Amino acid sequence: MHEGPDYPLVSRRWLLVGICSVPLALASGCRRKKEPQVIDPTDLDRIKSGEVVRLRALLREPAEQVCLLTPYRDRLEETEPLSHQVNPHLKAMNLMLQDGGFALVFVNGDKVSVQLLSEVRHDIVAWHEGAGRILKRLGCASVDRVLVTKVIDPLWPRLVVGEER
């Protein structure tokens, strides 16, 4: 190939291929790494109103600690002992919980796993007075102390994940 004004260094076809492949490479490189499902969402569906289930019974993978993240709270408070282990993981995965977004963060030794819970599938609340006699709000706690229940609100059942009182 000759260089000069009539012969470009790169053919138009290769230039077009290069330009068209950049968005594809960017899109695949920006995808979130799929986090494991520590809890099967269908197990949450099976909880009946008024039933109380230990979170440990729902786990598909081992975990020692669990933290609940609520809409617009996508990091742990710095005062939380697990924050130095969990927050870098949340930042690396670029977690941003919007309206209705909940996540359970599972810690097992030095392994951190995050499971997003959709309010579309489960009507989730961080706390409900109907569960107040058995649960308190969950920040982070031992998996053995965490309970899941379904309470009846005036309109529909709501799933509550909290720490045992």
Side-chain angles (χ1 to χ4, degrees), residues 98-114:
Q98 301 298 321
D99 194 32
F102 287 81
L104 289 173
V105 180
F106 297 94
V107 178
N108 189 38
D110 61 349
K111 182 181 177 196
V112 176
S113 301
V114 178

Side-chain angles (χ1 to χ4, degrees), residues 67-88 90 105 138-140:
C67 305
L68 178 66
L69 298 176
T70 57
Y72 305 105
R73 182 179 168 248
D74 41 31
R75 302 290 183 271
L76 296 181
E77 298 291 327
E78 293 299 318
T79 56
E80 174 60 51
L82 292 172
S83 67
H84 299 294
Q85 180 179 2
V86 170
N87 285 347
L90 298 174
V105 180
L138 176 61
C140 293

Side-chain angles (χ1 to χ4, degrees), residues 49-146:
S49 294
E51 183 180 9
V52 179
V53 178
R54 290 215 171 265
L55 184 65
R56 168 83 58 205
L58 301 173
L59 297 181
R60 294 169 51 184
E61 292 186 13
E64 298 165 354
Q65 301 280 321
V66 64
C67 305
L68 178 66
L69 298 176
T70 57
Y72 305 105
R73 182 179 168 248
D74 41 31
R75 302 290 183 271
L76 296 181
E77 298 291 327
E78 293 299 318
T79 56
E80 174 60 51
L82 292 172
S83 67
H84 299 294
Q85 180 179 2
V86 170
N87 285 347
H89 183 85
L90 298 174
K91 185 176 181 180
M93 68 181 283
N94 197 26
L95 179 69
M96 291 178 26
L97 295 175
Q98 301 298 321
D99 194 32
F102 287 81
L104 289 173
V105 180
F106 297 94
V107 178
N108 189 38
D110 61 349
K111 182 181 177 196
V112 176
S113 301
V114 178
Q115 183 163 349
L116 299 175
L117 300 174
S118 167
E119 189 180 45
V120 171
R121 180 173 181 145
H122 307 285
D123 192 9
I124 302 169
V125 291
W127 187 84
H128 191 280
E129 63 187 32
R133 63 182 170 73
I134 58 170
L135 300 177
K136 58 185 178 180
R137 286 183 190 269
L138 176 61
C140 293
S142 166
V143 170
D144 294 321
R145 295 200 37 81
V146 177

Side-chain angles (χ1 to χ4, degrees), residues 7-20:
Y7 299 101
L9 289 174
V10 177
S11 73
R12 287 186 185 138
R13 180 174 37 168
W14 286 111
L15 183 61
L16 184 61
V17 167
I19 290 172
C20 292

